């Protein structure tokens, strides 16, 4: 993986690609994804637990700035962390960039501009009839089910097959929580509260919701943004931690939309890739945990159980997804905040919602619950750490399935922290994040054809995705040399060979309309 990249020229954006630890060193800095010379804050700097970051605080009371180490001319950003350190920690966190080299402190935040904020989220079926088409949209996304490039033409047939198979069970789950996902309603409420908070902070802005797999689709939100004549847009994924399969997928879609639209090419815009380390978010999570602990008879004996949505292990180990590293740091930050409040409960982190036969991030939530029961844990407080809104993973999977499993495993007291929703500290902090990003909003140069290839000016999102996911379409094998026998390499290749065979079988079933799957009535919708 390359070392941090400097700006190509004085007319291009100047940025650095910080190490994950940079976010630790600047988490009270409120916008830790970039450290330009002109950014200022009066807030303290947190210590960095995973490395060392050079930073200084200006003694000028009128301009208390945290600055990175830049070259005198400012045309090339110097890395704050060594290449050796970057390589050791593997996962760089992409910088937010600006397409201008002027001092951002001299740039008006609003002026005559029309400010827009685009909230990105997953989406969810609102009725039981929506479940199967929602699942099709989900599994048709190459960032969710990754096929080798040679078999990419099977993406939609495979999505149809998987969605048809999973729809009945999924419908049962959605029926148990009221017949549909509350995600749209809750995200709309968050958008409205964010709009109010921005207005209270003297930043009038319109806030839009763009869902990846259901209405209102991202494309619908973009069309409304164009109709409203927005001139400055901040893209804010509602995923605290970045992952290829969540924020990454939504950003890829936006790239394709922006690349083909002249209005969008000229519109000033930028992205906040992740924000799990922001002080307001950390305090909001700690507030909820502290409140729920008080509902137990002996709060100090409660195990705090962080449960995050899982991703396939290959995304992290082979494609460079930073999700696991960001999630672990997020938990550390929340526990540090709780310790400041004299809350020193034991805690653990596990990953839920795995699908299919491939290995996902471990430890798994269900296995961990059983193991905690065996160890004699009697009180458990579940914390849905990667979810900012209630949906099926919290209301059904955690509240029903995992609670039942916990009680069966000998855990006597069960509690669950609610998702953040419209919690005041959280919403206010999101508004701060938007406001702090405005000086870095920039427009792609229309005359530069290369600029059309990415959402954020001069290729920063392209670099972001490349840094996180260097092999987008074809994941490399973990071992380059074939090994005979029952080895990890052989097991991996055998699994991939089996997957190819299954895909070919499905393709023949779908295209010919014959075969045992049709005979058994599994694929009636393909007729």
């Amino acid at each position: 993986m390359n070392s941090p990249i400097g700006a190509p020229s004085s007319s291009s954006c100047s940025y650095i690609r910080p190490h994950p630890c940079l976010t630790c060193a600047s988490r009270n800095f409120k916008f830790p994804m970039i450290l330009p010379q002109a950014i200022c804050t009066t807030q303290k700097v947190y210590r960095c637990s995973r490395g060392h970051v050079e930073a200084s605080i200006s003694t000028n009371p009128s301009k208390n700035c945290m600055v990175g180490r830049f070259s005198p001319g400012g045309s090339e950003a110097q890395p704050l962390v060594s290449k050796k350190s970057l390589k050791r920690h593997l996962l760089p966190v992409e910088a937010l960039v600006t397409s201008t080299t002027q001092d951002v402190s001299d740039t008006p935040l609003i002026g005559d501009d029309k400010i827009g904020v685009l909230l990105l989220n997953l989406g969810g079926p609102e009725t039981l009839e929506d479940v199967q088409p929602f699942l099709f949209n989900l599994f048709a996304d190459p960032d969710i089910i990754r096929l080798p490039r040679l078999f990419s033409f099977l993406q939609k047939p495979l999505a149809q097959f998987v969605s048809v198979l999973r729809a009945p069970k999924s419908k049962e789950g959605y029926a148990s929580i009221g017949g549909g996902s509350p995600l749209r309603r809750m995200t709309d409420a968050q958008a409205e509260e964010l709009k109010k908070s921005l207005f209270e902070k003297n930043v009038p802005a319109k806030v839009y919701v763009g869902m990846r797999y259901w209405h209102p689709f991202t494309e619908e939100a973009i069309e409304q943004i164009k109709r409203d004549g927005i001139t400055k847009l901040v893209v804010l994924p509602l995923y605290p931690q970045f992952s290829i399969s969540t924020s990454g997928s939504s950003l890829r879609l936006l790239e394709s939309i922006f690349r083909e639209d002249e209005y969008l090419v000229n519109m000033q815009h930028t992205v906040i890739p992740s924000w799990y380390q922001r002080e307001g978010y950390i305090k909001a999570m700690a507030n909820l945990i502290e409140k729920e602990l008080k509902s137990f008879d002996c709060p100090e004996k409660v195990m705090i159980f962080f449960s995050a949505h899982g991703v396939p292990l290959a995304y992290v180990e082979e494609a460079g997804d930073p999700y696991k590293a960001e999630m672990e740091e997020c938990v550390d930050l929340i526990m540090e905040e709780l310790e400041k409040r004299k809350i020193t409960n034991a805690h653990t982190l596990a990953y839920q919602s795995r699908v299919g036969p491939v290995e996902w991030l471990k430890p798994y939530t269900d296995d961990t619950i059983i193991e905690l029961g065996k160890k004699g844990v009697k009180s458990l407080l579940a914390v849905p750490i990667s979810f900012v809104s209630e949906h099926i993973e919290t209301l059904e999977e955690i509240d029903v399935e995992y609670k039942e499993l916990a009680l069966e495993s000998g855990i006597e007291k069960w509690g669950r922290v609610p998702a953040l929703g419209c919690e005041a500290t959280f919403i206010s902090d999101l508004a701060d994040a938007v406001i702090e990003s405005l000086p870095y909003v920039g427009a792609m140069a229309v005359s530069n054809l290369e600029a059309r290839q990415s959402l954020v000016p001069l290729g920063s999102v392209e670099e972001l995705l490349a840094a996180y996911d260097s092999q987008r379409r074809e994941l490399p094998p973990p071992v380059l040399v074939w090994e005979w026998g029952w080895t990890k390499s052989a097991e991996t290749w055998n699994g991939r060979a089996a997957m190819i065979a299954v895909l070919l079988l499905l393709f023949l079933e779908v295209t010919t309309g014959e075969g045992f799957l049709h005979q058994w009535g599994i694929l009636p919708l393909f007729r």
Side-chain angles (χ1 to χ4, degrees), residues 186-187 189-191 193 238 288 387-390 418-424 426-427 430:
M186 293 187 172
T187 307
Q190 289 171 327
E193 291 303 310
L238 285 179
L288 294 178
F387 311 98
V388 299
S389 301
E390 303 288 359
L420 283 166
C422 294
E423 201 272 346
F426 168 57
I427 294 296
L430 284 186

Side-chain angles (χ1 to χ4, degrees), residues 16-27 29 32-35 45-46 48 52-54 66 79-81 93 276-277 329:
I16 56 174
R17 183 180 301 156
H19 181 268
C21 193
L22 225 64
T23 62
C24 176
S26 58
R27 78 180 56 112
F29 181 58
M33 307 305 284
I34 185 170
L35 298 176
V45 180
Y46 275 68
C48 181
H52 300 282
V53 174
E54 294 184 25
M66 176 179 178
L80 291 177
V81 183
V93 178
Y276 66 94
Q277 72 287 62
E329 185 180 0

Side-chain angles (χ1 to χ4, degrees), residues 489-500:
S489 176
E491 185 179 358
T492 299
W493 279 104
N494 291 340
R496 288 175 176 168
M499 175 60 77
I500 291 173

Side-chain angles (χ1 to χ4, degrees), residues 210-346:
M211 300 294 192
R212 183 65 179 89
Y213 304 114
W214 203 245
H215 301 284
F217 290 112
T218 303
E219 295 89 340
E220 298 172 38
I222 289 295
E223 287 304 313
Q224 187 61 52
I225 287 169
K226 291 167 61 178
R227 286 193 294 270
D228 291 343
I230 297 299
T231 59
K232 281 190 174 183
L233 181 68
V234 176
V235 180
L236 178 57
L238 285 179
Y239 308 105
Q241 305 82 15
F242 183 95
S243 175
I244 294 168
S245 59
T246 54
S247 303
S249 175
S250 292
L251 293 181
R252 282 191 217 286
L253 174 62
L254 279 175
E255 279 189 298
S256 65
I257 296 172
F258 271 61
R259 189 184 301 130
E260 299 170 359
D261 193 296
E262 194 71 20
Y263 177 90
L264 299 175
V265 166
N266 286 281
M267 183 177 65
Q268 295 183 323
H269 46 273
T270 197
V271 177
I272 304 174
S274 66
W275 37 269
Y276 66 94
Q277 72 287 62
R278 290 187 61 85
E279 182 182 18
Y281 167 71
I282 296 300
K283 287 188 173 181
M285 289 297 300
N287 291 343
L288 294 178
I289 293 172
E290 184 176 17
K291 179 180 178 181
E292 291 301 318
L293 283 174
K294 293 177 180 178
S295 65
F296 288 83
D297 295 334
C298 299
E300 67 280 358
K301 295 183 179 180
V302 177
M303 169 72 74
I304 300 176
F305 185 80
F306 293 96
S307 186
H309 201 292
V311 298
L313 183 62
Y315 283 26
V316 173
E317 292 192 346
E318 301 182 24
D321 195 328
Y323 179 72
K324 182 175 184 288
E326 292 192 0
M327 185 61 67
E328 290 173 352
E329 185 180 0
C330 180
V331 170
D332 289 344
L333 297 179
I334 294 171
M335 291 309 300
E336 286 178 14
E337 176 63 29
L338 289 172
E339 287 172 10
K340 295 176 184 177
R341 308 179 187 192
K342 310 302 181 184
I343 298 173
T344 57
N345 294 55

Side-chain angles (χ1 to χ4, degrees), residues 3 23 40 52 73 82 100 102 149 188 196 222 229 231 265 317 376 380 395 404 409 431 444 447 464 466 472 510 520:
S3 59
T23 62
C40 299
H52 300 282
S82 67
T100 176
Q102 72 183 65
R149 188 178 306 176
D188 285 342
K196 292 178 182 178
I222 289 295
T231 59
V265 166
E317 292 192 346
L380 197 67
L395 298 174
E404 181 179 329
S409 301
M444 289 187 281
S447 60
L464 166 72
R472 162 65 184 85
V510 172
W520 293 349

Side-chain angles (χ1 to χ4, degrees), residues 386-437:
S386 56
F387 311 98
V388 299
S389 301
E390 303 288 359
H391 51 140
I392 194 166
E393 283 87 349
T394 60
L395 298 174
E396 198 273 335
E397 192 171 5
I398 294 179
D399 287 354
V400 178
E401 295 179 21
Y402 292 146
K403 179 180 179 180
E404 181 179 329
L405 178 62
L407 297 177
E408 291 174 353
S409 301
I411 296 170
E412 299 172 356
K413 303 292 184 180
W414 169 273
R416 203 262 286 180
V417 170
L420 283 166
C422 294
E423 201 272 346
T425 303
F426 168 57
I427 294 296
S428 179
D429 190 60
L430 284 186
D432 289 340
V434 170
I435 293 170
E436 290 154 18
S437 74

